[in-house]
Amino acid sequence: MNDWTEDQLDRVGAADQLEVASVRDDGSLRPFTTVWVARVGDELFIRSAYGPENGWYKRAKEAGVGRIKSAGVIRDVAFVPVPADDTALHAALDAEYSRKYGPHHAAHVTATVLGDDVRGVTLRLDAQD
């Protein structure tokens, strides 16, 4: 299910940052971590800037669910791994990350959230009830 409102997509998609927290086994939330977010069409995505061993990413992938906060939007989400071989989507994500963050963080963006290395550490955020 991907039940974002247009307003939520607009606000989160335009936000500079997103706070993400996965759910522990006991149902409580882990501490929030700040990440960059990209909107492509009617979907929101996050990438692990430092690979598959990044703590927040490992926990989010393992838990499968959590919560995001950004631009006044607070939603429970499912973390859905994006297939690394979806070349069209990854090209669109690279373009959006470059457009959104490149003007102010060009070297960091290129080194951390663009290209083949992050294809396997990309998660789609599906809004949950």
Side-chain angles (χ1 to χ4, degrees):
M1 175 169 58
N2 198 6
D3 195 20
W4 295 105
T5 68
E6 191 64 29
D7 178 63
Q8 291 170 335
L9 287 167
D10 288 345
R11 289 167 46 198
V12 174
D16 286 336
Q17 298 177 334
L18 176 134
E19 300 289 319
V20 61
S22 58
V23 173
R24 293 184 179 101
D25 289 341
D26 67 5
S28 64
L29 283 176
R30 294 187 180 280
F32 283 91
T33 300
T34 302
V35 298
W36 285 343
V37 60
R39 176 183 178 181
V40 173
D42 289 338
E43 297 177 313
L44 299 169
F45 299 88
I46 54 178
R47 285 177 161 171
S48 177
Y50 299 104
E53 297 305 312
N54 194 330
W56 75 262
Y57 173 79
K58 285 174 54 172
R59 291 185 295 272
K61 189 172 176 189
E62 182 179 306
V65 294
R67 183 169 295 153
I68 62 100
K69 298 190 299 188
S70 182
V73 175
I74 300 172
R75 287 294 304 258
D76 290 335
V77 297
F79 302 112
V80 181
V82 174
D85 63 354
D86 189 338
T87 55
L89 176 58
H90 286 290
L93 282 166
D94 284 352
E96 179 57 12
Y97 273 106
S98 293
R99 181 203 66 76
K100 185 174 180 181
Y101 298 107
H104 302 289
H105 308 283
H108 190 66
V109 169
T110 300
T112 62
V113 294
L114 298 182
D116 294 342
D117 291 343
V118 293
R119 289 183 175 195
V121 292
T122 302
L123 299 172
R124 187 180 71 231
L125 303 174
D126 283 1
Q128 304 292 292
D129 289 332

